[in-house]
Amino acid sequence: ANEADLDLAVQVVQYALKIYQTEPLSRQVKKQVLPSADVIEQGKDGLKEYVKQNCGPVYHPVGTASMMPREYGGVVDPSLKVYGTSNLRVVDCSIVPIVSPHI
């Protein structure tokens, strides 16, 4: 709904397309599927429509390795060490035990 957000998303897609065409990644890409060649040929207008139809918010799953006491199902302790290991840590959003929509 916000033109600035749309422009930024289009720039991100354009940058990703540029990266796909740059070595060494370009050697690994067998075929570009999305956005289609037709969309790319339409330029920025085509990419804007592509973004509107195909891009949206994605929610990062949290709590899959919760930091809480082991007896409550926790996976990591307050120092982020995985229970039952000697030197393995988890340092990402999976340690967040509960996400509140009110924060």
Side-chain angles (χ1 to χ4, degrees), residues 2-37:
N2 183 317
E3 194 67 26
D5 289 339
L6 179 58
D7 287 338
L8 181 60
V10 167
Q11 288 177 22
V12 168
V13 171
Q14 288 173 319
Y15 190 69
L17 292 170
K18 183 178 179 180
I19 290 172
Y20 284 143
Q21 297 168 356
T22 304
E23 291 287 343
L25 183 59
S26 64
R27 284 183 273 145
Q28 304 304 316
V29 176
K30 295 182 182 190
K31 179 181 178 185
Q32 180 182 316
V33 179
L34 295 172
S36 69

Side-chain angles (χ1 to χ4, degrees), residues 10 24 28 31-32 43 47 52 58 64 75 86 88-89 91:
V10 167
Q28 304 304 316
K31 179 181 178 185
Q32 180 182 316
L47 289 175
K52 286 179 185 179
V58 177
T64 57
V75 176
S86 59
L88 177 63
R89 295 175 192 264
V91 187

